[in-house]
Amino acid sequence: MMGMVAAAGMALGDPPADYGSIAAVGLFVALMCVCIVVGHLLEENRWMNESITALFIGLGTGAVILFASSGKHSRVLVFSEDLFFIYLLPPIIFNAGFQVKKKQFFRNFITITLFGAVGTLISFTVISLGALGLISRLNIGALELGDYLALGAIFSATDSVCTLQVLSQDETPFLYSLVFGEGVVNDATSVVLFNAIQNFDLGNISTVKLLQFIGSFLYLFSTSTILGVAAGLLSAYIIKKLYFGRHSTDREVSIMMLMAYLSYMLAELLDLSGILTVFFCGIVMSHYTWHNVTESSRVTTKHAFATLSFIAETFLFLYVGMDALDIEKWKIVGQTYSPVKSIALSSTILALVLVSRAAFVFPLSFLSNLTKKTPEGKISFKQQVIVWWAGLMRGAVSIALAYNKFTRSGHTQQPSNAIMITSTITVVLFSTMVFGLLTKPLIRLLNPPRYLSRETSTLSEPSSPKSFLEHLVANNPGHPDLENGISIRRPASLRLLLTSPTRSVHHYWRKFDNGFMRPVFGGRGFVPFVPGSPTESSVPLLPGNEN
């Protein structure tokens, strides 16, 4: 009888749980709450930003755990590439595409691709050659050609989160789109490069093999982009045709989230670049899908995606901060190498990062400026310095790739691998904290707030997605040439037309979009009638209000 009561108690009560996991998750949730509060209090601080705050709190917590465990361990979770690439990265990249100002992004698309793809390849080459020439002389141990090339890919991956937290999409649209766009393309390029090196036969390199490598690289980029666009268009078509909003707005929000995530997973399954896929899926969803849902779903999705991205970013910096003090790797390094050698390795990598960044930002900016006819499209020297600085920080992508290359299941017993991990962590911490702390003052020095309004391009669009009412209030219904509340003059001569080809490209895209795409996939102007949503049914949409 007592056994039955005990069994019933077990059945009714909580199931047996792994208290270690609960404690770990609980600690991270509590720390993220602290990060948000401290970040809010330091919002106006001249030096700090959210990511550095999270990193410092992570380091502090790691130090407390290290002290409490008498130097046995400093972290409650082992760094996992799966956790990073499957759960944390997709919401960050998707939200980036979803919130981006599309017009500004595509106007600078060639420059962004030049920086993100060609620039990353130059950076990879400089770091790989520098590693071969300098790090090989430090006599660290059994490092092969593949390891030096992997280092090039690992440290080509930038982390511009700190800079983007300081730059404003509304006040400095041109600069923001360059830094932001380059960051996304750079991450994708670095990961694709890293994976290609892992699968490349380095003992049998020939011109044909090199051309095949470049061909597969271009194939990866194009197919990843096409998959992202296709997933976004499919979600738009499904929501437009089935019109979930008449029954449940929750279904609309859910299908958008899940289809975006599915596109990322599908890309990873097909060995494509999930980063590029989910980014372009976000852009397409904000252009079509977002306008096919009800007003309440629009508000919900905009804030839900931004919140998920914010939580993932905060978690990541906390995670990196705590993982940095993992005592196991530091003990192996301390027992095998002198502190001078560790410092020399980290310093060499940091110097290569600085040089490799400069090696492409300034020459490619010069090339980009040659193609621009008007001063507005050119990158000034001060802006070039900010773009160079923005990419000096290394972050979670570098750590994830380093763990992938130099550890197994997050652990290593080989000294040469351990010193590579500790050096990566040192470079990430130093670049994020030192360069990150100087980001705010540097941008204020080079781009003073009183001049910010001058850079706001008359061709820039409001942040996308935004509420209908903002566009409708801002625009003058009587003017046929208004676009997002800004009057755009038509070119008066052929010369004027040639100096602003992006406008004509945009004009033809708009005609194609309105004529073929929007009738099929929806978008602004093709929103179904929503009972109980007077803003959508009572105010007519004007052709000039389109995004």
Side-chain angles (χ1 to χ4, degrees):
M1 185 67 185
M2 288 295 288
M4 285 175 69
V5 171
M10 284 287 284
L12 292 169
D14 292 329
D18 178 359
Y19 288 101
S21 299
I22 293 171
V25 174
L27 178 64
F28 268 96
V29 172
L31 288 174
M32 281 194 281
C33 291
V34 172
C35 285
I36 291 166
V37 172
V38 174
H40 170 71
L41 294 173
L42 293 173
E43 184 68 36
E44 302 301 320
N45 188 279
R46 189 180 171 184
W47 304 90
M48 298 295 283
N49 56 47
E50 301 265 50
S51 51
I52 298 173
T53 306
L55 201 61
F56 272 121
I57 291 171
L59 275 169
T61 310
V64 169
I65 295 170
L66 193 65
F67 181 73
S69 65
S70 306
K72 287 175 186 167
H73 64 90
S74 71
R75 57 185 182 178
V76 288
L77 291 173
V78 176
F79 191 91
S80 157
E81 305 132 57
D82 288 347
L83 175 72
F84 173 68
F85 282 111
I86 296 175
Y87 302 110
L88 297 176
L89 198 58
I92 295 171
I93 303 293
F94 174 76
N95 184 61
F98 195 70
Q99 305 284 0
V100 72
K101 290 186 174 183
K102 297 181 290 296
K103 210 180 295 176
Q104 190 66 244
F105 178 80
F106 285 108
R107 187 176 290 117
N108 302 315
F109 190 70
I110 293 169
T111 309
I112 285 167
T113 310
L114 201 64
F115 280 3
V118 179
T120 305
L121 289 170
I122 294 170
S123 180
F124 160 74
T125 308
V126 171
I127 293 172
S128 297
L129 291 173
L132 264 170
L134 299 171
I135 295 173
S136 56
R137 294 183 182 181
L138 292 173
N139 298 322
I140 283 158
L143 290 178
E144 300 166 359
L145 176 63
D147 296 327
Y148 292 116
L149 292 176
L151 275 178
I154 288 164
F155 289 105
S156 296
T158 64
D159 185 56
S160 49
V161 174
C162 283
T163 315
L164 291 177
Q165 285 174 352
V166 181
L167 286 173
S168 165
Q169 191 165 201
D170 295 315
E171 292 173 339
T172 53
F174 175 60
L175 198 53
Y176 186 96
S177 71
L178 276 186
V179 172
F180 158 81
E182 188 230 332
V184 174
V185 179
N186 164 276
D187 281 351
T189 309
S190 302
V191 174
V192 169
L193 255 178
F194 181 82
N195 290 334
I197 289 160
Q198 297 285 75
N199 305 322
F200 199 60
D201 182 13
L202 296 165
N204 187 20
I205 300 172
S206 63
T207 313
V208 178
K209 284 273 178 77
L210 208 61
L211 288 171
Q212 282 178 346
F213 175 75
I214 294 165
S216 64
F217 193 77
L218 294 172
Y219 165 79
L220 264 174
F221 262 72
S222 55
T223 46
S224 300
T225 304
I226 290 165
L227 179 62
V229 171
L233 290 176
L234 181 64
S235 72
Y237 186 78
I238 288 171
I239 287 178
K240 181 174 180 281
K241 281 292 175 190
L242 298 180
Y243 186 32
F244 293 99
R246 70 175 181 268
H247 292 141
S248 166
T249 56
D250 296 344
R251 287 179 189 150
E252 290 181 319
V253 178
S254 303
I255 197 109
M256 280 179 77
M257 282 186 176
L258 293 172
M259 286 197 74
Y261 194 54
L262 182 64
S263 73
Y264 182 87
M265 285 302 162
L266 202 57
E268 291 297 312
L269 281 171
L270 297 171
D271 288 328
L272 301 174
S273 170
I275 294 171
L276 273 182
T277 298
V278 81
F279 175 69
F280 278 99
C281 181
I283 288 179
V284 173
M285 276 193 175
S286 76
H287 191 65
Y288 295 111
T289 318
W290 191 73
H291 295 286
N292 293 345
V293 299
T294 56
E295 184 72 23
S296 58
S297 290
R298 270 175 248 173
V299 175
T300 306
T301 48
K302 184 187 174 191
H303 292 295
F305 295 142
T307 304
L308 284 172
S309 171
F310 175 74
I311 289 172
E313 277 180 17
T314 308
F315 183 89
L316 254 177
F317 279 101
L318 264 176
Y319 197 36
V320 168
M322 287 180 75
D323 186 76
L325 292 173
D326 174 36
I327 207 71
E328 177 195 312
K329 296 183 286 287
W330 295 99
K331 274 181 180 173
I332 295 169
V333 171
Q335 288 163 5
T336 315
Y337 305 101
S338 66
V340 174
K341 191 165 279 191
S342 294
I343 293 165
L345 178 59
S346 300
S347 304
T348 306
I349 293 170
L350 209 56
L352 287 172
V353 165
L354 288 159
V355 172
S356 67
R357 182 84 186 153
F360 80 81
V361 168
F362 299 107
L364 292 183
S365 296
F366 176 74
L367 284 176
S368 175
N369 287 345
L370 289 178
T371 65
K372 299 286 192 288
K373 303 285 191 298
T374 55
E376 292 82 28
K378 293 187 177 182
I379 311 166
S380 69
F381 183 72
K382 285 183 178 181
Q383 288 174 330
Q384 289 175 36
V385 172
I386 292 173
V387 171
W388 170 73
W389 188 268
L392 290 178
M393 280 153 281
R394 296 294 174 264
V397 175
S398 294
I399 288 184
L401 295 179
Y403 268 86
N404 184 296
K405 177 68 183 172
F406 298 111
T407 69
R408 285 184 184 176
S409 305
H411 296 281
T412 180
Q413 294 299 321
Q414 200 174 328
S416 59
N417 286 351
I419 197 169
M420 284 301 168
I421 296 289
T422 56
S423 296
T424 305
I425 289 168
T426 306
V427 169
V428 167
L429 286 179
F430 184 87
S431 64
T432 306
M433 290 197 291
V434 177
F435 297 156
L437 281 170
L438 295 171
T439 298
K440 264 190 186 179
L442 181 82
I443 289 174
R444 283 180 180 174
L445 178 72
L446 297 175
N447 223 331
R450 61 182 179 277
Y451 299 126
L452 287 179
S453 58
R454 294 182 188 178
E455 197 208 327
T456 307
S457 167
T458 54
L459 290 164
S460 71
E461 58 178 312
S463 290
S464 174
K466 271 194 178 179
S467 167
F468 273 131
L469 292 176
E470 291 181 40
H471 298 288
L472 293 167
V473 169
N475 292 346
N476 176 3
H479 200 301
D481 290 342
L482 278 175
E483 190 167 281
N484 293 329
I486 312 292
S487 176
I488 297 175
R489 287 175 301 210
R490 301 290 180 206
S493 65
L494 184 63
R495 181 172 176 175
L496 270 173
L497 183 67
L498 289 171
T499 58
S500 55
T502 48
R503 293 188 203 178
S504 57
V505 170
H506 183 257
H507 172 70
Y508 289 121
W509 157 248
R510 181 55 56 80
K511 283 181 75 174
F512 172 74
D513 196 24
N514 288 342
F516 299 98
M517 300 296 283
R518 287 183 172 173
V520 178
F521 298 107
R524 192 174 300 152
F526 292 93
V527 185
F529 173 78
V530 185
S533 182
T535 55
E536 292 183 24
S537 55
S538 62
V539 187
L541 286 165
L542 307 165
N545 295 335
E546 291 159 7
N547 187 15

